[in-house]
Amino acid sequence: MAKKPIDFYFWPTPNGFKVRIMLEECGLAYRIKPIDIGKGDQFKPAFLKVSPNNKMPAIVDPDGPGGKPISVFESGAILQYLGRKTGLLYPDDERARVEVEQWLYWQVGGLGPMAGQAHHFRVYAKKKVPYGIERYTTETTRLYGVLEKRLRGRSYIAGEYSIADIAAFPWVLSWQKQGQNLDDYPRIKAWVARLSRREAVQRGLSTALE
């Protein structure tokens, strides 16, 4: 009997894309459950049962531990779960796993929130707030510098291609709206090109909702 696909609660944002890329990289069957964040779908009671923080992405895997369904919210946790489930892009060796995890959390706790705020204050804020623009753009610049330094002598963030790369990659794609210039970061620019050539990444960046 064919296994049921994973229900994937998705909207085309950086956090949504990174889970979609992982699903594609792992070759897992999934069906998209659109969560239109512009219309407030994330606040509907049915979605709250899946994602207690009212944030997408989230998944429901009908073939979870012990063969029973499991729901997972928070993009970093989803990447780790899918990595453990498939044995892909998330190493078993403890030293290698720590290397991946610390850069995954760097993205989740730093690059994503700071770049997102820079994007918001620079592009979407109804009123321009110079302090907000400077604060978040400056911190995003610092984080890009951390990543640029990290990629010295490496093709991927944690050595081998992993969920650490998948987590950070979609955020860097919006560099212009974050007040950055990839020409200032040649290693990041090469890394972006390297990941962009992967077929699973290309599929994962689809905005299609079906």
Side-chain angles (χ1 to χ4, degrees):
M1 181 183 296
K3 293 181 179 180
K4 294 181 180 179
I6 291 172
D7 284 337
F8 175 33
Y9 296 83
F10 168 78
W11 199 247
T13 69
N15 283 334
F17 284 134
K18 62 190 184 186
V19 172
R20 191 167 191 172
I21 290 170
M22 183 63 173
L23 287 164
E24 290 289 345
E25 288 281 12
C26 294
L28 292 167
Y30 64 94
R31 57 185 177 185
I32 290 177
K33 302 284 188 178
I35 298 295
D36 188 337
I37 58 178
K39 293 182 178 179
D41 286 354
Q42 67 272 34
F43 298 111
K44 292 181 177 179
F47 182 60
L48 180 63
K49 294 179 181 179
V50 177
S51 180
N53 195 33
N54 292 114
K55 298 283 188 179
M56 74 90 222
I59 64 168
V60 175
D61 181 4
D63 183 34
K68 298 180 180 180
I70 187 172
S71 61
V72 190
F73 74 103
E74 289 295 327
S75 59
I78 297 170
L79 293 181
Q80 290 176 298
Y81 170 75
L82 295 175
R84 290 192 300 268
K85 176 182 176 71
T86 61
L88 298 172
L89 305 177
Y90 189 31
D92 290 328
D93 175 77
E94 183 63 15
R95 287 185 180 275
R97 176 164 286 192
V98 168
E99 195 78 354
V100 168
E101 287 178 340
Q102 61 189 358
W103 287 98
L104 171 65
Y105 299 154
W106 172 84
Q107 183 280 309
V108 170
L111 179 64
M114 296 300 103
Q117 292 289 355
H119 188 159
H120 172 79
F121 279 101
R122 295 177 66 89
V123 178
Y124 291 117
K126 294 180 180 179
K127 181 183 293 186
K128 293 299 180 183
V129 182
Y131 174 80
I133 293 172
E134 180 180 2
R135 167 74 178 88
Y136 291 111
T137 301
T138 298
E139 179 61 8
T140 300
T141 298
R142 187 190 71 80
L143 291 164
Y144 271 62
V146 171
L147 180 56
E148 177 72 7
K149 183 177 180 180
R150 176 63 184 176
L151 289 169
R152 182 183 300 151
R154 294 182 178 85
S155 295
Y156 302 105
I157 295 175
E160 300 293 329
Y161 178 58
S162 72
I163 58 174
D165 300 284
I166 292 172
F169 172 74
W171 284 99
V172 175
L173 294 182
S174 298
W175 53 271
Q176 289 174 304
K177 295 177 181 179
Q178 300 160 11
Q180 306 303 311
N181 185 342
L182 280 196
D183 288 337
D184 296 334
Y185 309 100
R187 298 186 190 94
I188 295 178
K189 188 173 184 179
W191 171 77
V192 167
R194 192 173 300 120
L195 267 65
S196 297
R197 290 192 291 267
R198 298 181 66 91
E199 292 184 3
V201 171
Q202 294 169 15
R203 294 193 300 271
L205 290 175
S206 171
T207 59
L209 299 176
E210 57 183 38

